[in-house]
Amino acid sequence: MNKLKQLFAGGALLTFMSSVAHAEYGLNMPVGVTETSRQVYDLHMLILWVCVAIGVVVFGAMIWSMIFHRKSKGAVASQFHESMTAEVVWTVVPFIILIVMAIPATKVLIDMHDASEADMSIKVTGYQWKWRYEYIGEDVDFFSSLDAASNEARQVGSKIDPSTVDNYLLNVDRPLVIPVGKKVRFLLTASDVIHAWWVPDFGWKKDAIPGFINEAWVKVDEPGVYRGQCAELCGRDHGFMPIVVEVKSEADYAIWLAAQKGEEVVAKMEAEVALVEGLTADDLIQKGEEVYRANCVACHQMKGEGIAGVFPAISGSALVNGPMDAQIDMVMNGKVGTAMVAFKNQLNDVELAAVITYQRNSLGNSVGDSVQPSAIAALR
Amino acid sequence: MTTVTADTHDDHHDHGPAKGFMRWVTTTNHKDIGTLYLIFSLVMFMVGGAMAMVIRLELFQPGLQFVDPGFFNQMTTVHALVMIFGAVMPAFVGLANWMLPIMVGGPDMALPRMNNWSFWILPFAFAMLLSTFFMDGGAAAGGWTLYPPLVLQGGNGFPYMIFAIHMMGISSVMGAINVIVTILNMRAPGMTLMKMPLFVWTWFITAYLLIAVMPVLAGAVTMLLTDRFYDTSFFSAAGGGDPVLFQHIFWFFGHPEVYILILPAFGVVSSIIPTFARKPLFGYSSMVYATASIAFLSFIVWAHHMFTVGMPIEGELFFMYATMLIAVPTGVKVFNWISTMWKGSMTFETPMLFSIGFVIMFTIGGFSGLMLAIAPADFQYHDTYFVVAHFHYVLVTGAIYSIMAAAYYWLPKWTGNMYNEKMGQWHFWLSTVSVNVLFFPQHFLGLAGMPRRIPDYSVQFAEFNMWSSIGGFAFGLSQVFFCYIVYKTIKGGEKATDQVWEGAEGLEWTLSSPPPYHSFTTAPEIK
C-alpha cells in the first residue's frame, strides 16, 4: 500500500511540476477564427450547459436519496412502483429539450454545407503520410509533410526532448497559405487510404477518401498560423501528418502566390534541362537522398532497414540489387494492396531517377549503375 | 412400464457433474458453461487490459519511448476487439447462462449441446486472433472498425483475424438462439413475459439484436477478404466500389452492437437497485418498452459514427435527429432507477455501489453521447479523445461496472461463499477514483484537439495524458485485485444463505447457495 501511495504522490508531483513548465493547455474547444467555428463553439457550449443542468437535477436527486433514504438512518422503504404521470413527464420534457437543441444545430449544419460562391478552391489530397495542396487554376501544387526537427525527435529512442522542439508534431515543411476574409473551398480526396483534414480553429474536419471528393469551406477572419492534424487512422504514421495553415492578408498572399509560381517555373525548367542533358551519378545520388528522406523513410526507415514483416528493407533487397527494370516498375507503379503507392503520381522524372539511383548505390547497396530522368520519362 | 422408466430416471437424478478436466470440455450444464464463459471473459479482460497498459505507457509522455507506431496501432486495434468480443460479450453470455434458466424457473438452457459448442469455439477464435501478433506483419493495425482500404494493407495475420471474427460471430449467434429458445420455452407455468425479471427481458431483446447484426458483420468482413485475396472491389473506388459502403455496413452492425453491450447491463442494474433499496423496481413495463425502443432506434442511427464522411445534408439531419431521440428512452431508464432508489431503505454493499457508479457514470457517458449527436459539433469531436472518453464511460463504467456489480451480487449464490465485503468496497473505490482520473481528462484532451489513435502527441497535451496514464495503471492494478477477490471467494469464505441479500426477490434466491446441479427439476410456483 505504501508503494502505491508513493507512486500516486510521485505521479501527482510530476504532473504538477510539468504543468508549471508549460502552463498553456486547453480545457475546452477553441472558439476558432471563423464564423462557422464560433457557431459550432456556441452549439457545443449550449448542449454542454443543457447536460450540466440535467446532470444537476438527476445527480442531485440521486445524492439526496442516497443521503436521506438509507437504512442506517432508519428509512423505511415505500412500496410505490408506478406512475403514469411521471413516465409521461420524463418522456415529454426531454423530447422538448431535444427539439430546442435541434433547431440551432440544423441551422448551423445547413450553413456549413453551403460551399457555393467560393472565391477560390484548393484540392487537398491525403497521402500516407503527408498532404498535397493544389491551388486550382493557379498552377501551384506542393506536398506538405512533418518538419525535419519533429521528425528527428519523434523516432523511437531519439533521446530528444519534445518540449525543445518548436510546435512538436504540429509543424510542417511547407504550410498551406490562404488569404484572409475570402471564402476558400476545399476539395478533399486521398490517394491511398482514408485520411481526415482537421484544423480545430476552423470548426470542422472532413474525411479525405480515395476515389471520392468531399467539399468543405472556410472564411478566416484574422491572419495567423493555425495548426491541426490528420484525424482518421491512416496507418503507421497517422500521428505524424500535421496540417499548418498560414492565413495572410490579401496583399501578402498575392506576393506569396507569385513567388510560388516562380519557383514552380524554375523547378520545371531545371527538370527539363536534366531531362535533356542528364545528370551525373553523384548528382543523382545527392538529390536521391533528399527524395528518399522526404518520401521513403516513414516505411523503409532512415538506413533502409525497413520493418520486419511490414515494410521490406532496401538494404540488401533482392529487388533493388537485381535488374533495374523491376525496381523502376515498383517505384513508379507501386504494389497493389500495400502501402507502396505508385510514386509516378507524386514525383517527377528527376526525382524518380534520383531516388532509384540513390537506393542502388547507398543504404548498404552498391550496384554501381544509375538511371537518367529521360529513361523514366520514356516509361510514363 | 412407464412408471418403471420414471423410477429408474429418478434413481439417477443427482448424479452431479463428471470429474476433472473433461467435465469442463464435455459439459452441457448451464452453470458450468456460465462459469466457463465468466472465467474466459476475466482472462480476456486481463489480456485486453495488458494492451491498454502498453497504450497508456507509451502515451505517458510525449515522444516515442517504448513501442513502434505500427505496434501501437496493433495494440489499440486488438485491445478493442478483445475487450468487446472477448471480455464484455462473453461476460454477459456467462451471466445469461447462469441466471436465465434459474430466473425463468427452468432446469437448464434449452439447447445444452449447442451451448457447449458456442462456448468452446471462443478460446480457439481468440487463440487465432492473438496468434496474429506472431505472424509476418503483426496483428491488425487499422482500428477495430477495420476500415478499408487501410485494413487491406495488413500483414499475413489478416485472414486469420477475419476467420477469428467469423468464429466469434457464430458463437454469439448460437448463444443468442439459445437465449431466445430458453426464454420462450423454458419458463415455469405462470411466468408470463411481463413477469420476467428485467435481466431476462433485456437479454431477450439483446439476443434478437445479435441475430440481426452478427451476420451483417460476417458479410462485411467476408467482402474485405475477397477484396484482398480474390480481386473483388466492393470497397475500392478504383474498381467501381466504395470505401464508405464498408462504413455503412460496419456501423449497421456496430451501432446495435453498442446496445448488445449495454442492454444486459441495464437488466443487471434493474435487478440490483431494487434489492438494496428494498423497494420494487419503478416503472417495470416502461423499462421493457424503453429497452425495446432503444433496440429499434439502434438500427436507424448508424451513420452518426460517420458524420464526417461527406453525406448529403438530408442524411446528416436524419441521423442527427434519430440519434438525439435515443436520449428519450435512455433517460426514462435513468429516471426509473432513481425513482426506485427514491424513498427506499438503502444499504450500500459492493453490488449496489457498482450499480450506483454505473448509473452516474453511464449517464455522464450518455451526456457526452448527446453532445456527439449534434452533427455540427461532432465535426469537432469526431475521432478525438472526446470520443474515446465517451465510449469508455459507457463501456467501462457502464458495461463493465454492471458486470462487476453482477459478479458481487451473484457470486455468493454461485459459490455458496460470501465475498469479503471490505475488499469489495476497496475494489469499488479504487476503481472509481482511478477510472475517472483515467478517462475524465480525455474529454479535455479531445476538446483541445488531440486526435485518437495516435502514439505520440504535441506537448500541450502532456499533462492530461500523464494524469490519464496514472489513472490507467491504478485502474489496471485494481482489477488484478478484483481477480484476487473472486479467487478467494471461490476458495472459501463465510457461508452464504439462500436468500443472500435481505431485500432480494426472484427465483434465484429460492434455490440453495450454491444451487443444485440441475436448477429447477420441478417447475416452481409463480405468484
Side-chain angles (χ1 to χ4, degrees), chain B residues 239-274:
Chain B
D242 178 352
V244 180
L245 173 67
F246 177 85
Q247 300 187 20
H248 281 290
I249 301 173
F250 181 87
W251 286 113
F252 186 81
F253 145 79
H255 200 80
E257 170 69 19
V258 172
Y259 291 94
I260 289 165
L261 300 172
I262 204 68
L263 293 185
F266 291 164
V268 167
V269 170
S270 302
S271 298
I272 294 175
I273 290 180

Side-chain angles (χ1 to χ4, degrees), chain B residues 57-94:
Chain B
L57 188 67
E58 184 52 65
L59 292 174
F60 188 71
Q61 283 183 332
L64 285 171
Q65 289 83 20
F66 301 99
V67 298
D68 178 82
F71 186 70
F72 183 91
N73 290 344
Q74 296 176 28
M75 285 287 113
T76 53
T77 303
V78 183
H79 162 74
L81 289 171
V82 165
M83 285 304 200
I84 293 168
F85 294 102
V88 176
M89 288 169 73
F92 282 129
V93 181

Side-chain angles (χ1 to χ4, degrees), chain B residues 36-37 55 181 196 250 311 351 384 393 404 406 422:
Chain B
L36 286 171
Y37 265 113
I55 294 168
V181 178
M196 297 193 306
F250 181 87
M311 271 181 289
T384 69
Y393 264 90
M404 300 280 180
K422 201 168 177 186

Side-chain angles (χ1 to χ4, degrees), chain B residues 244-489:
Chain B
V244 180
L245 173 67
F246 177 85
Q247 300 187 20
H248 281 290
I249 301 173
F250 181 87
W251 286 113
F252 186 81
F253 145 79
H255 200 80
E257 170 69 19
V258 172
Y259 291 94
I260 289 165
L261 300 172
I262 204 68
L263 293 185
F266 291 164
V268 167
V269 170
S270 302
S271 298
I272 294 175
I273 290 180
T275 297
F276 295 95
R278 293 169 179 75
K279 192 164 159 278
L281 181 70
F282 188 87
Y284 172 88
S285 45
S286 77
M287 286 296 228
V288 173
Y289 299 137
T291 310
S293 321
I294 292 173
F296 168 73
L297 287 173
S298 77
F299 284 105
I300 58 164
V301 297
W302 75 87
H304 68 218
H305 295 272
M306 31 195 292
F307 276 142
T308 62
V309 298
M311 271 181 289
I313 181 86
E314 297 81 4
E316 305 229 312
L317 287 173
F318 170 80
F319 285 108
M320 174 169 81
Y321 299 148
T323 304
M324 290 168 81
L325 266 186
I326 293 189
V328 174
T330 315
V332 167
K333 289 194 156 283
V334 173
F335 297 136
N336 279 332
W337 289 321
I338 294 171
S339 306
T340 306
M341 291 165 65
W342 191 258
K343 298 221 161 159
S345 172
M346 274 186 279
T347 51
F348 300 91
E349 288 87 346
T350 313
M352 183 63 162
L353 288 177
F354 271 101
S355 298
I356 291 173
F358 169 93
V359 175
I360 293 178
M361 289 182 279
F362 176 77
T363 304
I364 292 175
F367 285 147
S368 53
L370 187 55
M371 295 171 76
L372 285 159
I374 309 292
D378 181 76
F379 293 156
Q380 286 279 41
Y381 309 137
H382 182 73
D383 268 336
T384 69
Y385 259 81
F386 190 81
V387 177
V388 177
H390 159 72
F391 65 69
H392 281 99
Y393 264 90
V394 292
L395 287 179
V396 178
T397 58
I400 289 175
Y401 260 47
S402 83
I403 293 165
M404 300 280 180
Y408 284 109
Y409 186 55
W410 284 312
L411 254 184
K413 174 57 62 185
W414 299 334
T415 63
N417 303 323
M418 284 306 283
Y419 63 89
N420 183 318
E421 182 60 43
K422 201 168 177 186
M423 285 190 185
Q425 306 233 348
W426 265 101
H427 172 225
F428 170 75
W429 286 110
L430 283 174
S431 299
T432 301
V433 171
S434 58
V435 83
N436 283 292
V437 175
L438 165 57
F439 293 122
F440 208 82
Q442 295 184 357
H443 290 116
F444 304 135
L445 284 172
L447 292 176
M450 179 168 163
R452 65 191 283 205
R453 292 166 166 169
I454 57 173
D456 191 8
Y457 46 83
S458 178
V459 289
Q460 81 250 33
F461 304 127
E463 288 78 14
F464 286 132
N465 268 297
M466 193 178 280
W467 275 112
S468 186
S469 287
I470 291 167
F473 303 144
F475 185 73
L477 282 176
S478 313
Q479 305 327 308
V480 177
F481 183 47
F482 173 68
C483 294
Y484 172 71
I485 299 173
V486 172
Y487 172 76
K488 218 168 122 45
T489 313

Side-chain angles (χ1 to χ4, degrees), chain A residues 93-109:
Chain A
V93 172
F95 195 77
I96 293 168
I97 296 175
L98 289 179
I99 291 175
V100 172
M101 272 311 306
I103 294 167
T106 305
K107 214 182 120 272
V108 176
L109 195 60

